[in-house]
Amino acid sequence: MQPINLYELKETFNDKGILICFAGPFSHSIIEELGNAVKRHLEAEQITKASLMDVFSIFIEQTQNVRNYAELMAKSGNRERDFSSGVIVIGKSDDRFIVTSGNIVDRNDIRTATAQLEALKDLDKPGLKAAFKEQMRKEILPGQSAGLGLIDMARKSSEPLQYSLREIDDRYCFFSLRATV
């Protein structure tokens, strides 16, 4: 490992409003420990309980999405990339909290999520509520997600969810998702 200037790293975090950042494998125990740290940190920020729960809920949803995708890739036998490693950042800008996650994904696997994100971005709060109810009524096939996570994050966000894809190669990209509370 190359030497790192931790002072510069800390200053970068301060300049960007980063409160918490983790990069590495998202195991169940790491998510749990990070969740506890996030809760304690947010409680120290003295924010409303509703905002704390929204930030925490979005943090959990995003980390579980990364973990679930890594498990899916492991079950499929795909070992071309390190799917278990992701990044999660919680930052603050003015009075708003921003929760951002990122991980490597197969381009073919991200189309459904990006289509859902595009459909959600133009919905207002009543529209998101209706979409949530509609999704809850749908039949869930074995091995399939209920598909409520993105809608729930969108409902808890004060702005539309934002995403980006950074090309890695012909098959893979780095998917980033941002929610603002």
Side-chain angles (χ1 to χ4, degrees), residues 3-4 15 23 26 28 43-44 75-76 84 91-92 94 107-109 120 128 142 144 160 162 164 169 172:
I4 298 172
D15 290 346
F26 283 26
H28 178 73
E43 287 168 352
K75 284 179 185 173
S76 75
S84 68
K92 190 173 182 183
D94 299 321
R107 289 175 186 273
N108 293 322
D109 295 335
L120 294 174
L128 289 168
Q144 193 177 39
Q162 298 174 7
S164 64
D169 58 30
Y172 299 102

Side-chain angles (χ1 to χ4, degrees), residues 116 130-138 145-148 151:
Q116 188 179 13
F132 190 85
K133 284 183 177 179
E134 182 181 327
Q135 189 64 32
M136 283 185 63
R137 289 187 203 114
K138 289 184 179 176
S145 160
L148 297 170
I151 301 171

Side-chain angles (χ1 to χ4, degrees), residues 129-164:
K129 185 177 180 179
F132 190 85
K133 284 183 177 179
E134 182 181 327
Q135 189 64 32
M136 283 185 63
R137 289 187 203 114
K138 289 184 179 176
E139 181 181 349
I140 303 169
L141 301 174
Q144 193 177 39
S145 160
L148 297 170
L150 289 177
I151 301 171
D152 194 44
M153 280 193 279
R155 291 179 70 191
K156 292 176 176 156
S157 297
S158 59
E159 297 176 4
L161 298 175
Q162 298 174 7
Y163 72 92
S164 64

